[in-house]
Amino acid sequence: MSTSSITFNRRSFIRTSSLASGGLLIGFNLFTACKPKVQPPVDISQLNFNDFNAFIKIADNGAVTIYSPNPEIGQGVKTAMPMLIAEELDVAWDKVYVQQGILDTENYTRQLAGGSQSIRLGWEPLRQTGATARQMLVNAAAAKWGVAPSECTTSEGVISNAKGETLGYGDVVKEAAIMEVPESVTLKEPKNFKIIGTDAQNVDIDKIVTGKPLFGLDYKVDGMVYACVLRPPAFGQILDSYDDTKAKAMPGVIDVIRIGEKAKELSKEGIGNWTVAMGKSDKVVVIAKTTWEALKGKEAISAQWVNGSVLESTEFQDKQLIGLLDGKEFKTLRKDGDINIAFAKADKTLERTYESPFLPHNCMEPMNFFANITDEKIHLVGPVQTPEFAATAVAGMLGRDVKDVHLEMTRMGGGFGRRLYGDFVYEAAEIADLIRKPVKLVFSREDDMTAGTYRPAIKYRIKAAIKDGHVTAYHLKEAAIGGNMYGLIPNFFPAGAIENYQVDVANYQSNITTGAWRAPYTNFLAFAEQSFFDELAEIMEVDRIQLRLDLLEKVKGSTDERIQYSPERMQNVIKVAVDKSGWGKKEDGVFQGFAAYYCHNSHVAEVADVEIENGVPVVKKVTCVVDCGIVVNPLGAKNQIEGGVIDGVGHAMYGDLTFMEGKPQSQNYDKYRLIRMGEIPVVESHLIQNEIAPTGLGEPTLPPAGAAVANALKAATGNRFTQQPFSKFPELMQVPTKPIIG
Amino acid sequence: MPKYDIKVNGISKSVDVAEDTPLLWVLRDHLDLVGTKYGCGIAQCGACTVHIGGTAVRSCSLPIASVGVQEITTIEGLSEDGSHPVQMAWKEVDVPQCGYCQTGQIMTASAFLDKNPNPTSDEIKTAMHGNICRCASYTRIHRAVEIAATKLG
Ligand code: FES
Ligand code: FES
């Protein structure tokens, strides 16, 4: 047994109280708990329950309810996070009721966004919270029996003593509620886990399959009206004038208003930079009694737009990015040794450029938000991944106290990074502030696809030097729209494995808004890098798997703290993937491609199998091996792995958003291709079993998928894909009539 | 505005809406049946699928004026309590990720299995091809349809 150590005082984020209705309520601040850098308040007597955002309720009858504050975007954290609490609380999972509801609509603001980091950050504090609650219940029972707490054991919500007497948790909640919060608690050894590591169904499953109102778009209150917004049709345009006579005469249309003043305030203050392109222009809003009437009303507006800045086309942007790669203006993010000397001395060099398009997020549930603003209160409800930030920004833009803001989160019909950006919250708030009625802002699919914060178009150029059969230099250059790679990404593989190594970045500031998209930067960088290593192996005439393993070998024992990938874990997932995929042992007609990648603290290796059907290569199977530490919920984990891999394959094959004079050329699913049922590969997933603390799973299986497919397509067709999406190059999909040599 | 009498989940309803109003928005905004989802509005994603006279229909592209007297079934009427074999299979496989597309998927699958209770794997793929799942839970959707078929068969 290990006593867990944590760098902050547990008392500051846990508080208990007895409930008027009977039972015990344990409140804890997940925000503080999961982000140890946030300083808990010094004087805890000043804390009240409003400062807590997650709760465990144990009723008199022993029933346990966990109020999970984390927004669910489809990654399963709403199930996995309560599992961590329940494990240490020592209750049976099927007796636990998980609610994302709010305990108190007046006073409860949920603060924490989801994402691949939730489980990693919550791993210790959530288990500690459960263990603390359990210890208090045990202490209460021990006091009742007059025995030492250490003589008591628990199992599935029942406390037993050495004499064989038992008490249910519900029997001692009253006493436990007034007990001291213990200073330290003992956490279970992983081998004693009963809930962690077992399959748990999505906690909302019953509601989802029966169509209960769960999502933002489903939220309704009496007297609510609907708003649809006419935004500039092209990035770079701004509103000049509009005629709303026709719209105002349409059935159900209540009013037509102009917004934009407040949003401009926001961008002036530097908040919400990502809304700049759209935020620079005023917008026309149609308020109507129903969604359909608002959508129709919007179509009836005739607006004039003027060009505020250059209307960019994809061709123009491509030239800018290539110009950057060819140029000399770079910021160096990492530099080891001297690449120039190594290149000068090289026997051979290889240089390749890889190109990716913009991608919209296309969450299945279009952006939307509810707002109701009175002099007393700003009530916001909907799907957003950054509620705290949105609440602060809205208060700032309306010149109100943030305490007036009550933000509730709904389940989200997908996130993929889009709902990190609060543009739709600000729009809803500005509208509600003007009309002073409860209002639901609704994006049509066209609005959603054309007013995006897209995955930026990026180009990578990679050059390597080979000397005496070794890779002696690696130079990665990035030219991106908007921002550049950040954080530890420049220190991912092959940093540390190659003596002379340099990462240079440059960016072009476009007026097209860009932002995070599932696995930011790595979603395409992995494709570039892992395609490049395959080519490198080919010109070095070495085994492509061995090349990667050998390079990883050199990272072992590294003392460079920036390098956080583990060469041992990486080698392991590679070896397991080789084994499980039958690498190199496939019958004729099956062409395999390999990729391995580390991001979001998890290690992944994938093998894609391509077969020829009716003369075209088809991705039939992807074997995916993941080391993400302890797997909290294998059932949910496999769902994430399958989804991530298929998403990666789908976007590499089909995803493409181009611009013509600032206008997105796809507006809806008729012109934007997403992978569908008939195109999916079988995904065989393998989770590495170990006892290392869990890491991210929502994102890391996506990045390597594109490279594994490209490498398999090369094997099948002899052609190298360096640009996504692959479907844009049907000529490269031609299968040669003669067998490929080499 | 014209008045339309429709029958939804066995109950007669009367709605006062413009004739071009898609059934989707009548269900969601007028009848509070929000289990039927909006995804694209142009019959491309299947999120809005309902049954009309037992056939799967894209309610976003069906004007109320064309509905007529045929019986409409939405996810809320597929079963009282989620006990329809397709819903049961969905739970057994734990299909959803974000969950948004799933009611549409279930409605497409249930209408399909009514007509073809013993489908092949390829027939399932073809039948479900029109429903997008952005979270790509396709593998589990396929599995759940197979399981539902054995429950129905
Ligand atoms: S909303 Fe009807 S098919 Fe997409
Ligand atoms: S589960 Fe998210 S769109 Fe299908």
Side-chain angles (χ1 to χ4, degrees):
Chain A
M1 301 279 266
S2 63
T3 302
S4 84
S5 63
I6 199 124
T7 48
F8 51 88
N9 182 354
R10 190 174 14 273
R11 284 179 180 198
S12 61
F13 76 94
I14 292 184
R15 201 177 125 131
T16 59
S17 108
S18 28
L19 287 170
S21 55
L24 163 67
L25 187 68
I26 300 156
F28 56 102
N29 192 320
L30 196 63
F31 186 62
T32 313
C34 293
K35 289 189 182 159
K37 282 200 194 95
V38 176
Q39 283 298 317
V42 188
D43 181 2
I44 58 161
S45 65
Q46 297 297 308
L47 281 180
N48 60 38
F49 267 95
N50 303 346
D51 298 312
F52 298 93
N53 59 11
F55 298 88
I56 306 168
K57 189 171 92 183
I58 304 171
D60 278 346
N61 63 6
V64 175
T65 308
I66 296 175
Y67 295 86
S68 167
N70 234 45
E72 180 59 86
I73 53 179
Q75 301 185 336
V77 289
K78 188 174 165 185
T79 307
M81 296 185 85
M83 286 173 81
L84 302 183
I85 297 172
E87 177 72 64
E88 293 291 345
L89 184 57
D90 217 0
V91 288
W93 178 246
D94 57 6
K95 300 271 154 46
V96 175
Y97 182 58
V98 178
Q99 201 164 334
Q100 161 129 35
I102 30 179
L103 202 61
D104 174 349
T105 37
E106 289 300 309
N107 294 312
Y108 179 50
T109 304
R110 273 165 286 185
Q111 295 168 301
L112 196 80
S116 289
Q117 301 302 313
S118 300
I119 289 298
R120 189 171 77 89
L121 296 173
W123 175 243
E124 279 265 324
L126 288 175
R127 287 183 305 138
Q128 282 210 337
T129 303
T132 304
R134 176 191 161 275
Q135 193 59 50
M136 290 168 75
L137 294 159
V138 167
N139 291 353
K144 230 179 194 176
W145 284 322
V147 302
S150 58
E151 285 170 38
C152 304
T153 57
T154 57
S155 176
E156 306 208 332
V158 178
I159 309 160
S160 315
N161 65 19
K163 285 183 264 171
E165 294 168 306
T166 61
L167 282 168
Y169 282 0
D171 302 329
V172 291
V173 285
K174 233 196 243 109
E175 293 80 0
I178 49 170
M179 297 232 108
E180 273 277 296
V181 176
E183 279 293 343
S184 73
V185 286
T186 308
L187 297 179
K188 287 184 185 174
E189 292 285 354
K191 65 174 187 319
N192 297 325
F193 287 157
K194 289 185 204 156
I195 296 172
I196 294 169
T198 61
D199 287 341
Q201 273 187 336
N202 188 319
V203 290
D204 279 335
I205 186 87
D206 287 324
K207 290 180 190 149
I208 291 171
V209 303
T210 51
K212 294 283 176 311
L214 280 174
F215 299 94
L217 217 51
D218 305 339
Y219 184 85
K220 247 181 219 185
V221 300
D222 283 346
M224 184 177 90
V225 295
Y226 294 82
C228 287
V229 177
L230 182 67
R231 301 175 186 81
F235 284 85
Q237 289 191 315
I238 49 178
L239 180 67
D240 183 33
S241 61
Y242 65 94
D243 179 355
D244 60 11
T245 336
K246 241 168 97 194
K248 278 189 166 156
M250 306 229 345
V253 172
I254 299 166
D255 203 357
V256 177
I257 59 171
R258 183 175 180 138
I259 59 165
E261 278 311 306
K262 304 279 184 193
K264 275 180 228 156
E265 282 303 306
L266 263 184
S267 38
K268 247 188 250 158
E269 287 173 37
I271 309 172
N273 261 338
W274 355 270
T275 62
V276 163
M278 288 295 166
K280 271 186 185 144
S281 172
D282 280 4
K283 301 159 193 171
V284 187
V285 186
V286 177
I287 314 287
K289 284 190 200 140
T290 64
T291 317
W292 177 247
E293 287 161 332
L295 286 166
K296 290 280 285 182
K298 187 177 82 155
E299 279 171 28
I301 304 275
S302 74
Q304 271 70 51
W305 311 91
V306 291
N307 298 350
S309 53
V310 185
L311 306 189
E312 297 176 5
S313 295
T314 297
E315 209 181 313
F316 168 82
Q317 291 158 340
D318 281 345
K319 278 199 194 116
Q320 300 298 319
L321 295 183
I322 291 291
L324 286 174
L325 287 178
D326 291 342
K328 294 201 157 51
E329 300 295 310
F330 288 100
K331 192 171 154 201
T332 300
L333 297 185
R334 182 174 170 125
K335 187 175 192 270
D336 299 345
D338 189 329
I339 52 167
N340 294 323
I341 296 177
F343 282 125
K345 288 193 190 156
D347 298 333
K348 267 191 246 178
T349 61
L350 175 71
E351 183 180 88
R352 286 288 180 270
T353 304
Y354 301 90
E355 304 176 58
S356 70
F358 286 98
L359 294 178
H361 297 82
N362 268 324
C363 300
M364 211 67 214
E365 178 193 16
M367 296 308 109
N368 65 87
F369 227 79
F370 169 87
N372 187 20
I373 298 181
T374 60
D375 288 342
E376 289 73 45
K377 186 172 153 184
I378 298 173
H379 189 201
L380 304 169
V381 185
V384 64
Q385 281 172 267
T386 46
E388 234 203 340
F389 187 84
T392 317
V394 167
M397 95 179 196
L398 299 180
R400 300 271 300 253
D401 190 332
V402 72
K403 287 213 178 73
D404 292 352
V405 182
H406 300 282
L407 194 147
E408 290 174 47
M409 283 189 295
T410 56
R411 191 177 176 88
M412 307 185 200
F416 312 107
R418 179 63 181 91
R419 292 190 217 272
L420 294 169
Y421 305 100
D423 49 327
F424 44 90
V425 188
Y426 315 144
E427 282 182 359
E430 192 170 355
I431 296 165
D433 195 44
L434 285 168
I435 67 170
R436 295 286 172 141
K437 274 193 193 106
V439 59
K440 168 75 73 65
L441 165 70
V442 179
F443 280 48
S444 66
R445 174 57 56 196
E446 289 80 2
D447 297 336
D448 193 271
M449 218 181 281
T450 57
T453 52
Y454 309 106
R455 192 281 296 269
I458 296 184
K459 299 192 196 300
Y460 287 107
R461 184 169 290 163
I462 309 179
K463 188 176 176 185
I466 300 151
K467 174 85 181 157
D468 301 331
H470 293 286
V471 187
T472 52
Y474 188 89
H475 188 195
L476 170 68
K477 290 197 277 189
E478 176 185 87
I481 304 252
N484 284 114
M485 66 164 89
Y486 54 85
L488 286 170
I489 299 174
N491 306 295
F492 287 1
F493 181 79
I498 299 168
E499 212 177 317
N500 304 293
Y501 174 91
Q502 191 165 322
V503 178
D504 289 332
V505 298
N507 68 70
Y508 169 71
Q509 291 302 321
S510 165
N511 54 20
I512 292 167
T513 39
T514 57
W517 191 98
R518 198 174 193 175
Y521 295 92
T522 57
N523 59 42
F524 188 67
L525 178 56
F527 164 77
E529 173 200 301
Q530 287 294 304
S531 299
F532 187 80
F533 273 103
D534 250 38
E535 283 207 73
L536 205 52
E538 284 165 23
I539 71 155
M540 291 171 74
E541 295 175 12
V542 296
D543 181 85
R544 58 198 80 223
I545 306 288
Q546 198 57 44
L547 173 67
R548 290 164 167 101
L549 293 174
D550 289 348
L551 285 166
L552 285 163
E553 197 62 33
K554 297 191 182 150
V555 188
K556 287 186 182 167
S558 166
T559 51
D560 184 343
E561 279 185 3
R562 294 167 300 171
I563 292 177
Q564 296 199 347
Y565 68 92
S566 150
E568 291 84 1
R569 293 171 80 182
M570 204 71 222
Q571 284 182 334
N572 186 42
V573 290
I574 291 175
K575 286 176 186 161
V576 175
V578 163
D579 177 41
K580 299 288 183 190
S581 67
W583 178 260
K585 297 194 189 109
K586 284 286 175 187
E587 60 276 23
D588 283 355
V590 180
F591 303 92
Q592 292 188 306
F594 184 86
Y597 204 70
Y598 162 91
C599 65
H600 298 273
N601 310 90
S602 294
H603 301 75
V604 179
E606 291 175 16
V607 173
D609 293 4
V610 159
E611 290 175 38
I612 311 298
E613 279 178 359
N614 306 318
V616 277
V618 178
V619 187
K620 299 298 280 184
K621 183 179 166 188
V622 176
T623 306
C624 179
V625 181
V626 182
D627 179 352
C628 59
I630 292 169
V631 180
V632 178
N633 178 9
L635 187 65
K638 294 214 161 164
N639 215 350
Q640 285 304 304
I641 292 173
E642 288 162 8
V645 168
I646 296 172
D647 194 7
V649 172
H651 280 92
M653 288 292 292
Y654 313 119
D656 192 14
L657 185 70
T658 58
F659 291 84
M660 189 69 89
E661 304 206 318
K663 273 200 185 86
Q665 295 301 290
S666 311
Q667 312 229 330
N668 205 326
Y669 297 140
D670 54 343
K671 296 256 173 60
Y672 189 90
R673 189 166 172 193
L674 284 166
I675 195 165
R676 290 173 183 264
M677 175 73 95
E679 295 143 351
I680 59 157
V682 171
V683 180
E684 188 184 295
S685 53
H686 300 276
L687 287 152
I688 302 288
Q689 300 288 334
N690 57 32
E691 292 191 355
I692 303 170
T695 52
L697 197 54
E699 292 164 295
T701 64
L702 181 143
V709 170
N711 291 339
L713 288 173
K714 168 69 177 20
T717 65
N719 297 323
R720 175 55 62 186
F721 289 81
T722 58
Q723 284 183 46
Q724 289 187 3
F726 308 148
S727 61
K728 221 176 175 172
F729 305 94
E731 68 284 1
L732 297 183
M733 291 280 184
Q734 298 298 320
V735 179
T737 40
K738 280 195 202 124
I740 306 157
I741 315 290
Chain B
M1 266 190 290
K3 217 172 174 154
Y4 295 94
D5 294 315
I6 54 173
K7 203 164 176 204
V8 184
N9 300 331
I11 302 166
S12 298
K13 301 270 182 186
S14 182
V15 286
D16 226 347
V17 295
E19 59 181 10
D20 65 350
T21 310
L23 174 61
L24 167 68
W25 297 113
V26 173
L27 296 171
R28 289 188 58 86
D29 289 358
H30 297 265
L31 302 178
D32 278 346
L33 294 167
V34 294
T36 306
K37 300 299 187 207
Y38 166 70
C40 69
I42 57 164
Q44 289 288 321
C45 76
C48 64
T49 307
V50 299
H51 298 171
I52 297 190
T55 303
V57 171
R58 304 289 165 87
S59 65
C60 70
S61 301
L62 183 75
I64 188 75
S66 321
V67 173
V69 294
Q70 295 190 81
E71 177 87 22
I72 302 161
T73 307
T74 69
I75 187 74
E76 290 89 348
L78 190 64
S79 69
E80 295 233 314
D81 49 1
S83 60
H84 186 280
V86 173
Q87 288 167 313
M88 295 304 282
W90 242 251
K91 293 191 238 185
E92 189 177 325
V93 183
D94 198 36
V95 175
Q97 289 192 33
C98 82
Y100 192 78
C101 72
Q102 301 296 346
T103 49
Q105 306 274 5
I106 290 169
M107 294 309 280
T108 301
S110 52
F112 163 66
L113 290 174
D114 266 351
K115 301 206 163 66
N116 184 355
N118 285 306
T120 63
S121 171
D122 280 346
E123 284 169 343
I124 295 174
K125 284 192 174 179
T126 309
M128 301 308 295
H129 198 73
N131 284 66
I132 295 174
C133 174
R134 175 63 183 86
C135 302
S137 66
Y138 295 118
T139 314
R140 290 192 182 188
I141 293 170
H142 190 273
R143 179 100 197 90
V145 178
E146 281 176 340
I147 290 178
T150 64
K151 287 188 202 280
L152 284 158

